[in-house]
């Protein structure tokens, strides 16, 4: 049987009188890409924000690798292996691409986060491991050629890949991607699909929110469908594509 690395149980999140998420349960298994889809306002971003710890949940439980994390602050969840990207890119434009990834790596380290960026202190073997890890992340995200450029000078697609690179830098067990294909053109979406599969194949599970159905159907091992904050279906891409309830609530409109 598949092992869940991230478990969501009876998650509820209300904003005042708005029940954004109601009684939502699903698992993200080891080495799995799980898609989360649904119409606008169905609660996808609220789910990701609840998992990442952006705000407290109303009720329910979130477990990462067997440990309850729903009471932890955002930063501690990253350190425990849950990393995320945002729907819109936000980066420090004056930093280089490489510095950005180094900063992400330092989340799980004990030294001062800026020490390696600014070259403070001496180079330890830990630092050399870090350099190798950064090289590997830049390589899989296709950012090696622009690693020394300032973030403000790279393309918007490269900025989106950098967000994923930075999230990968903390060596996550699970990465949460909120609409990673937004603003990407067709060949960039292909690069993104390949990257998402590479991430899974390297051992990080992926939870991806996306409106591009071709991308979702191509990359996902399983899909959860939300409507009005509730799960209306779960299954393989093939099962979801042919599910009349999903077609009625979402895919009819998306197609
Ligand atoms: P999706 O990402 O699927 O488009 P969201 O999770 O952003 O949907 O929104 C789900 C519902 O929760 C919507 O009705 C939205 O207006 C509401 N909502 C989301 N975030 C907030 C917030 N911070 N305050 C109040 N209402 C919110
Ligand atoms: Mg959203």
């Amino acid at each position: 049987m598949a092992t869940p690395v991230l478990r969501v149980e009876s998650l509820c999140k209300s904003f005042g009188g708005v029940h954004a998420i109601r009684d939502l349960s699903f698992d993200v298994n080891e080495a799995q890409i799980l898609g989360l889809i649904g119409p606008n306002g169905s609660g996808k971003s609220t789910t990701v924000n609840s998992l990442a710890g952006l705000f407290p949940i109303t009720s329910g439980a979130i477990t990462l690798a067997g440990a309850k994390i729903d009471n932890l602050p955002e930063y501690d969840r990253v350190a425990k292996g849950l990393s995320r990207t945002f729907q819109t890119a936000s980066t420090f434009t004056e930093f280089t691409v490489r510095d950005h990834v180094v900063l992400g790596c330092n989340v799980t380290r004990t030294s001062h986060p800026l020490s390696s960026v600014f070259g403070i202190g001496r180079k330890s073997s830990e630092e050399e491991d870090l350099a190798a890890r950064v090289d590997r992340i830049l390589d899989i995200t296709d950012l090696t050629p622009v690693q020394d450029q300032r973030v403000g000078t790279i393309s918007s697609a490269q900025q989106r890949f950098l967000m994923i690179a930075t999230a990968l830098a903390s060596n996550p067990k699970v990465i949460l991607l909120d609409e990673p294909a937004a603003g990407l053109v067709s060949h960039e979406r292909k690069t993104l699909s390949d990257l998402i599969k590479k991430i899974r194949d390297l051992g990080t599970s992926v939870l991806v929110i996306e409106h591009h159905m071709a991308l979702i159907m191509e990359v996902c091992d399983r899909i959860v469908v939300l409507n009005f904050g509730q799960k209306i279906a779960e299954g393989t891409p093939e099962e979801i594509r042919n599910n009349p309830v999903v077609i009625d609530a979402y895919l009819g409109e998306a197609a």
Side-chain angles (χ1 to χ4, degrees), residues 33-242:
I33 301 169
L34 184 82
L36 188 62
I37 64 172
N40 276 328
S42 59
K44 305 181 297 295
S45 291
T46 303
T47 302
V48 164
N49 291 336
S50 300
L51 294 173
L54 206 65
F55 40 59
I57 61 175
T58 304
S59 61
I62 303 166
T63 315
L64 181 69
K68 214 165 121 56
I69 58 160
D70 49 69
N71 50 351
L72 297 178
E74 204 172 355
Y75 180 92
D76 287 347
R77 297 187 200 193
V78 177
K80 291 215 179 298
L82 188 67
S83 202
R84 62 92 50 93
T85 64
F86 287 88
Q87 210 171 330
T88 47
S90 64
T91 44
F92 304 105
T93 53
E94 294 304 309
F95 279 48
T96 69
V97 168
R98 191 180 179 89
D99 288 346
H100 246 274
V101 179
V102 170
L103 270 177
C105 287
N106 277 298
V107 167
T108 51
R109 286 150 45 92
T110 47
S111 60
H112 190 278
L114 294 177
S115 65
S116 23
V117 175
F118 296 119
I120 304 163
R122 58 188 195 310
K123 220 174 175 167
S124 60
S125 66
E126 193 192 354
E127 225 94 318
E128 274 147 30
D129 290 349
L130 173 71
R133 193 157 127 208
V134 173
D135 286 343
R136 193 162 44 85
I137 291 166
L138 290 169
D139 181 46
I140 68 165
T141 52
D142 286 340
L143 293 170
T144 308
V146 295
Q147 62 173 310
D148 296 320
Q149 285 188 36
R150 280 186 298 141
V151 172
T153 69
I154 62 175
S155 73
S156 58
Q158 285 170 328
Q159 296 204 13
R160 298 204 75 95
F161 285 105
L162 176 58
M163 227 183 355
I164 297 176
T166 309
L168 283 175
S170 59
N171 214 4
K173 295 184 176 77
V174 181
I175 185 169
L176 313 172
L177 306 175
D178 194 355
E179 301 202 21
L184 300 188
V185 298
S186 161
H187 75 271
E188 295 162 344
R189 285 202 296 275
K190 170 76 179 94
T191 309
L192 176 66
S193 301
D194 292 345
L195 172 59
I196 293 173
K197 288 188 242 175
K198 258 188 269 177
I199 292 171
R200 171 197 57 198
D201 295 344
L202 290 169
T204 295
S205 301
V206 181
L207 176 66
V208 57
I209 293 179
E210 224 352 289
H211 282 295
H212 281 281
M213 276 311 113
L215 187 146
I216 281 287
M217 294 295 170
E218 191 207 322
V219 304
C220 291
D221 300 303
R222 288 185 79 69
I223 298 173
V224 166
V225 188
L226 295 184
N227 198 25
F228 297 112
Q230 287 182 302
K231 182 164 86 174
I232 58 166
E234 177 171 356
T236 64
E238 203 50 39
E239 287 162 357
I240 294 302
R241 202 198 310 268
N242 298 308

